[in-house]
Amino acid sequence: MSRPDLHLYVDAQFVSPYGMSAFVALHEKGLPFELVPLNLAAKETEAPHFAAQSITRRVPTLIHGDFALSESSAIAEYVDEVFPGTPLYPANVRDRARARQIQAWLRSDLVALRNERSTEVVFLRPVDTPDTPLSREAQAAADKLIAAAELLLPSGETNLFGDWSIADTDLALMLNRLVLNGDPVPAALAAYARRQWQRPSVQLWVGRERPTP
């Protein structure tokens, strides 16, 4: 069997939300690809061969033949436009723009929440002291996340835009920083995050064997 033409470089601990997003995108498209873990602590992203391909020296990076692309939302948009299969973004132009807005916002905001409820909470274990409250800044970020999610998710709907999109995976992951740590989240949003977590492509990432921290 020939090697796949697609290679996805991710963190070797498999805790990156962005690595997961790119991984889910490729699986949703039904694309064969080689998963290549890099040890970030050992600075494997600085290796000359990888650095020359990725340009930004970041993971995830997708290699497609002679083309390399980093940043998970860029990877999702690229594979959605190049390959057939499950759509990763809504067909409606405004919904598609909103999905991209959600992705960009989740990657650039809510810093205190991301720091205090890292993705180790999601993929490995709750914080060392589960009763540790969020700081004022992180609680403000959590409140902002919840308020936005309640505005974005139609009442009683399973997905943001009717059919599933990659923005659902990204939003569910951010909510699960709270849900899976036992922090308070409105029941409807917690149920949404848990439903999204059961998607087969997501479970393939969640169920990966991870090095013991």
Side-chain angles (χ1 to χ4, degrees):
M1 181 181 294
S2 61
R3 286 167 55 86
D5 197 34
L6 291 166
H7 309 270
L8 181 64
Y9 289 80
V10 298
D11 65 298
Q13 285 193 307
F14 305 110
V15 296
S16 165
Y18 315 118
M20 186 188 93
S21 187
F23 176 92
V24 167
L26 290 169
H27 271 285
E28 289 290 339
K29 284 293 183 182
L31 299 170
F33 65 95
E34 179 187 12
L35 189 65
V36 186
L38 294 182
N39 187 326
L40 305 189
K43 300 186 182 301
E44 289 185 351
T45 55
E46 301 294 325
H49 175 70
F50 178 79
Q53 288 184 298
S54 75
I55 302 176
T56 58
R57 307 184 185 190
R58 285 159 61 94
V59 292
T61 288
L62 178 70
I63 309 293
H64 179 206
D66 60 356
F67 179 65
L69 185 66
S70 59
E71 305 305 323
S72 58
S73 57
I75 291 169
E77 290 187 35
Y78 174 75
V79 299
D80 205 30
E81 293 178 7
V82 171
F83 298 101
T86 301
L88 302 179
Y89 290 92
N92 178 276
V93 65
R94 290 188 175 184
D95 287 346
R96 191 162 62 249
R98 183 72 72 204
R100 288 167 172 159
Q101 176 193 355
I102 292 167
Q103 288 188 295
W105 172 59
L106 293 174
R107 286 157 171 73
S108 61
D109 200 359
L110 312 175
V111 175
L113 174 59
R114 286 189 275 130
N115 286 341
E116 294 183 29
R117 298 295 185 261
S118 75
T119 48
E120 289 194 5
V121 163
V122 177
F123 299 117
L124 297 174
R125 63 188 184 283
V127 292
D128 291 338
T129 306
D131 294 332
T132 301
L134 293 166
S135 68
R136 181 181 302 175
E137 294 80 6
Q139 186 60 60
D143 293 343
K144 183 178 182 180
L145 169 66
I146 288 168
E150 289 182 324
L151 287 172
L152 289 164
L153 186 65
S155 178
E157 292 294 324
T158 302
N159 302 309
L160 289 166
F161 306 106
D163 293 329
W164 173 88
S165 77
I166 193 67
D168 284 299
T169 296
D170 292 345
L171 179 59
L173 190 148
M174 186 63 80
L175 288 168
N176 271 329
R177 293 172 186 263
L178 298 170
V179 173
L180 297 178
N181 193 64
D183 295 299
V185 173
L189 292 182
Y192 162 79
R194 290 191 176 102
R195 282 196 304 269
Q196 293 295 332
W197 223 235
Q198 296 310 307
R199 196 168 181 88
S201 58
V202 173
Q203 281 296 302
L204 284 172
W205 179 270
V206 173
R208 295 200 67 84
E209 184 176 348
R210 292 174 170 81
T212 303

